[in-house]
Amino acid sequence: MDAAQVAAFFRGKNILITGATGFLGKVLLEKILRIQPEVTKLFLLVRATDDESARRRVQTEVTGREIFQVLREKHGKGFEDFIEEKVYPLAGDVMYEDFGLDTAKLKEVSKDVDIIVNGAATTNFYERYDVSFDTNVLGAKQICAFANKCTKLKMLLHVSTAYVCGEQEGLILEKPFMMGDTLREGTHLDIESELNLIKHTQMELKANCATDKAQRKTMKELGLKRARRFGWPNTYVFTKAMGEMLLGHLRGDLPVVIIRPSIITSILKEPLPGWMEGVRTIDSVFLGYAKQALKFFLVDPNTIMDVIPGDMVVNSMMVAMLAHSGEQAQTIYHVTSSMSNPASYMTLRESAHRYFVDNPPRGENGEPIRLNKMRFFSTVARLRMYMVIKYKLPLEILHLVNIGLCGVFSGRYNELSGKYRLAMHLIELYAPYTLFKGRFDDMNLEKLRKAMEQNSDGGEYYFDFDPKKIDWDDYFYMVHFPGVLKYLA
């Protein structure tokens, strides 16, 4: 198998993609169109009221983005006609049966589609349980049901996350979840019961005439409570794990590939080095540091920070589509770097500091601002102590002064108290990732890499997904940090 064969595989194919408005979806769509202009149709399922609204949304949120500039230059004035010929927006939602498509659309797609890529997901760690369940769990169920109606389907590729493993330590294998699996000994997970619990809670909230704010708070807390009951740190990874369980249970003989990337970062090489969308954990830290709004963070500088560039994730997805097309099996890939080429948080900190020494941000007067190195706390207990001394005690003093002055500072106290509670909440929420002690086995991915010919990463087609080739310090300094400031700041 070589790169030319991978590109040729997509000739004449009809592909249904969910989640195309997300970062990874855009990178995948652009790559397919760029390397194989003879792909037949790319059906994009997007949330919209009708197909015209879906078309406008795709134009605005997908093909109108910077990631398509190379393709736009290649086609010149014919770019829009090319997109219209190849890209078919569909108004629908993965949480509904048959995605909510009408009979005619359903018939057209189900008889034509060769490959389904399910990238639709709600990725907020602290999302409402009902919202996260609808997309990440019921969405996987509906994808599987739809896939089994597609008469010529060759495979279903599902994008999950490596962190469905929870807070495990040591070597984490590329193995599937079985129905009922949990990460806490002595518990058993029943997905149907979780759905019933959500419905019951919704009915109770409605009967009690709860405000929208109260409903959001209750459903967010319910998701976190249920996740932690079964051993997962947050609602996102808990619901993604349940989605994987349903896929494995319902797929029958359908060929399924589950891609589990770690923290996805900016594009390494092509088509636009440094391009990204959506602030991720490490990017929010970097931006906070650049603006001097964040001078400390919860992280053990010696732990491994498992990151992988977005174009490498997409390259592995496309090679996996060819490798497993038509197979009657389920295969899981960790698209990660902690085993092959680990990078530490210390590398990130040193690269960031060096970058800002060489490229200092400027204040309102135009003068360069000198940034100190970010302070790292390696345990939650140490950071809590620092927060109490630095912020909580002054808050309590302000509280006493406010009482003595009959509430003169009530507004200020409430504002600062709210910020303190939010900071402590974020510390708890991100701790499982910034203090993560596991390493992801990538044996399946290594086999896939070896299946590609050694010279297949050059020339017209490029499908490299080997993190061993990345110099992390160079990538952060030359590609990622400039990309964060250009596209996210």
Side-chain angles (χ1 to χ4, degrees):
M1 179 168 58
D2 61 23
Q5 287 176 304
V6 178
F9 171 73
F10 292 92
R11 182 181 294 118
K13 293 292 189 299
N14 295 289
I15 304 170
L16 171 65
I17 301 174
T18 73
T21 56
F23 171 68
L24 212 59
K26 292 184 182 74
V27 180
L28 174 63
L29 179 67
E30 190 278 341
K31 178 91 177 193
I32 294 173
L33 289 170
R34 179 161 44 84
I35 62 101
Q36 187 46 266
E38 292 182 37
V39 65
T40 303
K41 291 179 184 177
L42 294 167
F43 296 103
L44 306 187
L45 186 73
V46 295
R47 285 176 176 164
T49 54
D50 52 44
D51 286 348
E52 178 56 29
S53 300
R55 186 184 66 80
R56 286 197 300 270
R57 191 177 173 201
V58 168
Q59 282 182 335
T60 305
E61 298 180 31
V62 183
T63 58
R65 301 295 193 187
E66 300 99 323
I67 184 72
F68 284 85
Q69 74 177 37
V70 171
L71 198 63
R72 189 178 290 274
E73 289 167 4
K74 179 181 177 181
H75 288 274
K77 293 179 180 179
F79 175 75
E80 298 297 343
D81 289 339
F82 173 69
I83 293 296
E84 191 172 341
E85 179 191 349
K86 302 296 178 180
V87 176
Y88 289 73
L90 299 171
D93 196 318
V94 292
M95 65 178 280
Y96 298 125
E97 183 178 358
D98 296 327
F99 312 141
L101 300 177
D102 61 44
T103 306
K105 280 282 189 305
L106 175 64
K107 187 176 180 181
E108 177 191 358
V109 179
S110 61
K111 74 177 177 62
D112 285 348
V113 73
D114 298 290
I115 299 167
I116 296 175
V117 178
N118 182 34
T122 299
T123 60
N124 187 343
F125 289 174
Y126 190 44
E127 182 58 271
R128 293 173 54 131
Y129 194 24
D130 50 347
V131 172
S132 194
F133 196 94
D134 281 347
T135 301
N136 298 345
V137 185
L138 296 182
K141 179 181 179 181
Q142 298 300 348
I143 283 281
C144 212
F146 183 82
N148 281 305
K149 294 178 182 178
C150 297
T151 54
K152 53 184 277 196
L153 192 73
K154 295 172 179 62
M155 72 160 325
L156 163 61
L157 186 143
H158 175 76
V159 181
S160 186
T161 170
Y163 295 99
V164 288
C165 66
E167 299 174 79
Q168 293 181 45
E169 297 185 11
L171 187 64
I172 299 157
L173 301 178
E174 296 166 297
K175 66 176 185 178
F177 282 104
M178 300 293 111
M179 289 292 283
D181 281 353
T182 73
L183 302 180
R184 174 161 292 159
E185 193 173 343
T187 60
H188 177 80
L189 176 61
D190 186 313
I191 295 176
E192 193 66 33
S193 294
E194 294 303 304
L195 178 58
N196 290 334
L197 175 62
I198 289 171
K199 290 178 178 177
H200 177 71
T201 306
Q202 289 173 327
M203 288 172 60
E204 279 194 337
L205 288 167
K206 195 171 183 180
N208 295 330
C209 300
T211 63
D212 289 345
K213 184 178 179 180
Q215 288 183 43
R216 283 195 301 273
K217 186 173 185 292
T218 300
M219 295 309 295
K220 283 184 174 185
E221 289 175 352
L222 179 63
L224 211 50
K225 179 183 175 183
R226 299 305 290 175
R228 289 173 177 172
R229 170 181 169 78
F230 296 110
W232 280 273
N234 58 59
T235 311
Y236 166 56
V237 292
F238 176 45
T239 53
K240 289 298 285 185
M242 284 193 278
E244 284 196 22
M245 291 177 199
L246 283 176
L247 277 179
H249 181 66
L250 299 172
R251 72 176 187 85
D253 293 330
L254 188 69
V256 170
V257 169
I258 295 176
I259 296 284
R260 291 177 182 165
S262 52
I263 300 169
I264 302 174
T265 53
S266 62
I267 287 174
L268 171 65
K269 290 191 175 177
E270 45 98 32
L272 200 59
W275 185 80
M276 68 176 75
E277 279 189 338
V279 178
R280 284 150 180 80
T281 310
I282 62 169
D283 301 328
S284 60
V285 174
F286 178 76
L287 286 171
Y289 173 63
K291 297 172 182 176
Q292 284 293 275
L294 187 64
K295 299 180 182 180
F296 60 89
F297 197 60
L298 174 67
V299 67
D300 182 344
N302 298 311
T303 56
I304 299 304
M305 174 185 60
D306 200 311
V307 294
I308 192 79
D311 50 334
M312 282 198 166
V313 179
V314 164
N315 289 341
S316 68
M317 290 166 63
M318 294 177 72
V319 173
M321 288 181 211
L322 168 59
H324 298 283
S325 179
E327 287 186 358
Q328 292 184 343
Q330 174 177 284
T331 309
I332 292 173
Y333 289 108
H334 280 157
V335 186
T336 54
S337 61
S338 54
M339 284 297 289
S340 301
N341 185 13
S344 70
Y345 279 97
M346 184 64 78
T347 302
L348 179 74
R349 182 171 75 170
E350 295 302 319
S351 297
H353 182 68
R354 186 163 57 88
Y355 182 82
F356 281 121
V357 167
D358 296 342
N359 306 275
R362 297 187 178 274
E364 292 180 4
N365 59 2
E367 292 296 313
I369 302 171
R370 182 174 177 80
L371 303 183
N372 296 317
K373 286 186 179 180
M374 180 178 281
R375 185 174 181 182
F376 283 172
F377 291 87
S378 57
T379 68
V380 173
R382 287 177 183 173
L383 182 52
R384 275 186 185 148
M385 182 63 69
Y386 173 80
M387 292 289 288
V388 167
I389 295 169
K390 184 82 174 177
Y391 299 102
K392 185 65 174 175
L393 288 179
L395 261 177
E396 292 307 311
I397 293 170
L398 178 62
H399 181 54
L400 292 174
V401 171
N402 185 52
I403 293 172
L405 295 177
C406 302
V408 170
F409 296 112
S410 291
R412 182 63 174 159
Y413 172 77
N414 290 335
E415 178 191 351
L416 293 175
S417 183
K419 287 183 177 179
Y420 177 80
R421 287 195 302 271
L422 177 61
M424 295 306 296
H425 174 70
L426 291 175
I427 287 167
E428 296 285 348
L429 213 54
Y430 285 118
Y433 304 100
T434 56
L435 302 177
F436 189 74
K437 303 294 185 185
R439 289 202 184 188
F440 297 105
D441 173 49
D442 62 352
M443 189 64 70
N444 288 343
L445 197 70
E446 184 63 25
K447 290 176 183 175
L448 191 66
R449 280 195 287 264
K450 287 179 178 177
M452 293 285 287
E453 292 185 1
Q454 293 300 308
N455 64 350
S456 65
D457 60 349
E460 184 181 358
Y461 307 116
Y462 191 91
F463 291 98
D464 183 32
F465 51 96
D466 187 355
K468 291 191 291 293
K469 296 180 181 178
I470 302 174
D471 179 326
W472 289 115
D473 180 68
D474 183 71
Y475 166 67
F476 289 136
Y477 184 92
M478 298 297 295
V479 179
H480 187 69
F481 295 154
V484 170
L485 293 177
K486 181 176 182 179
Y487 299 110
L488 300 183

